[in-house]
Amino acid sequence: IEPEIAFADLNDDMDLARDMMKYVIRYVMDTCPQDLQFFNQFVDKGLIDRLTHIVESDFAHVTYTEAVEILKKHNSQFEYQVDWGVDLQTEHEKYLTEQVFQKPVFVTDYPKEIKSFYMRMNDDGRTVAAMDMLVPGIGRSSAAEREERLDRLTARMKELGLKEADYWWYLDLRRFGTNKHAGFGLGFERLIMYLTGIQNIRDVLPFPRTTGVAEF
């Protein structure tokens, strides 16, 4: 699921990601109660309570820098040590959502070194307008505001050694006029896992995983 929103900044992006998640969960709870009761009874006995908690929760929000400061205090509990500039691992994300906040969390303003070149540079010159929506039991949905300023975009490409000629079409989108825009991605199968309580992503894929049917 890959929405892209015109005339939007990172805050608009976060609002849409949160509202979409809540809408989908609420819709399934309202229209498929018997299915959820089945999964709650035979697959994941805490499923309905967890879904209800998500729908009724205000999502937390911390910057990457704030998240790192929280996690560094508990480095002894992690396999991978946390420090500013490293990408957060699954164990770190689970700790934030399940131990610290006990609800979904937006982590924003990541170091530019660990994010893509097209993400909008923040005024500090160190971080970009990117976010991850961390949801207990489902993982992350990543998002960013795009860099619409041509000079900032080409400067970042030069910094990374990217050839402008290889991205001429992308640069033309900025050169001939653009606007602020942002988007995010959410794995459909991971969302199905969350709605059903099924633990293995292979069991929610929308096509049979049997010999002779992998046509695509």
Side-chain angles (χ1 to χ4, degrees):
I1 305 173
E2 298 278 353
E4 190 73 23
I5 327 158
F7 314 109
D9 61 15
L10 191 63
N11 289 323
D12 299 315
D13 210 14
M14 290 191 291
D15 288 344
L16 181 63
R18 180 199 63 232
D19 293 347
M20 187 195 76
M21 178 66 71
K22 288 191 174 190
Y23 176 86
V24 170
I25 293 174
R26 189 180 294 110
Y27 181 87
V28 172
M29 294 179 72
D30 290 342
T31 58
C32 308
Q34 291 179 322
D35 298 275
L36 289 184
Q37 287 290 349
F38 174 87
F39 286 115
N40 192 77
Q41 182 175 354
F42 295 105
V43 179
D44 180 354
K45 295 190 181 301
L47 176 65
I48 292 177
D49 287 342
R50 188 173 68 248
L51 295 177
T52 301
H53 178 64
I54 298 300
V55 169
E56 296 179 350
S57 290
D58 292 325
F59 288 21
H61 177 199
V62 292
T63 66
Y64 168 88
T65 300
E66 292 168 339
V68 166
E69 289 304 311
I70 293 171
L71 294 167
K72 282 173 67 175
K73 298 175 182 177
H74 306 278
N75 258 339
S76 61
Q77 302 181 41
F78 302 133
E79 179 181 356
Y80 298 97
Q81 301 295 288
V82 182
D83 203 1
W84 202 95
V86 304
D87 202 1
L88 300 183
Q89 303 295 316
T90 300
E91 60 177 339
H92 308 141
E93 297 171 350
K94 288 185 65 175
Y95 192 86
L96 289 171
T97 57
E98 298 175 9
Q99 302 297 323
V100 179
F101 295 102
Q102 299 181 346
K103 59 183 178 181
V105 184
F106 286 117
V107 181
T108 62
D109 305 308
Y110 281 81
K112 64 181 182 180
E113 287 79 12
I114 61 175
K115 290 297 182 179
S116 299
F117 75 94
Y118 55 79
M119 296 185 178
R120 197 177 202 272
M121 189 72 66
N122 289 328
D123 292 339
D124 60 13
R126 301 176 66 217
T127 63
V128 292
M131 72 89 173
D132 285 331
M133 180 177 66
L134 310 180
V135 181
I138 189 173
R140 71 167 73 174
S141 169
S142 296
E145 185 177 349
R146 319 309 185 188
E147 183 59 83
E148 86 283 1
R149 299 164 296 186
L150 181 62
D151 57 336
R152 300 288 187 93
L153 184 59
T154 53
R156 181 66 177 141
M157 292 174 65
K158 184 176 181 180
E159 187 179 335
L160 294 173
L162 300 175
K163 297 179 180 179
E164 291 187 26
D166 294 337
Y167 296 88
W168 64 268
W169 57 272
Y170 190 73
L171 295 174
D172 277 357
L173 293 173
R174 275 83 182 138
R175 183 174 292 113
F176 298 117
T178 187
N179 52 267
K180 281 191 174 185
H181 59 288
F184 66 89
L186 176 64
F188 180 74
E189 287 82 7
R190 292 191 181 279
L191 180 56
I192 298 300
M193 289 174 65
Y194 194 69
L195 288 167
T196 60
I198 293 174
Q199 296 297 308
N200 195 321
I201 196 168
R202 290 176 297 182
D203 294 329
V204 300
L205 296 177
F207 59 86
R209 294 174 55 85
T210 55
T211 302
V213 300
E215 299 175 0
F216 303 106

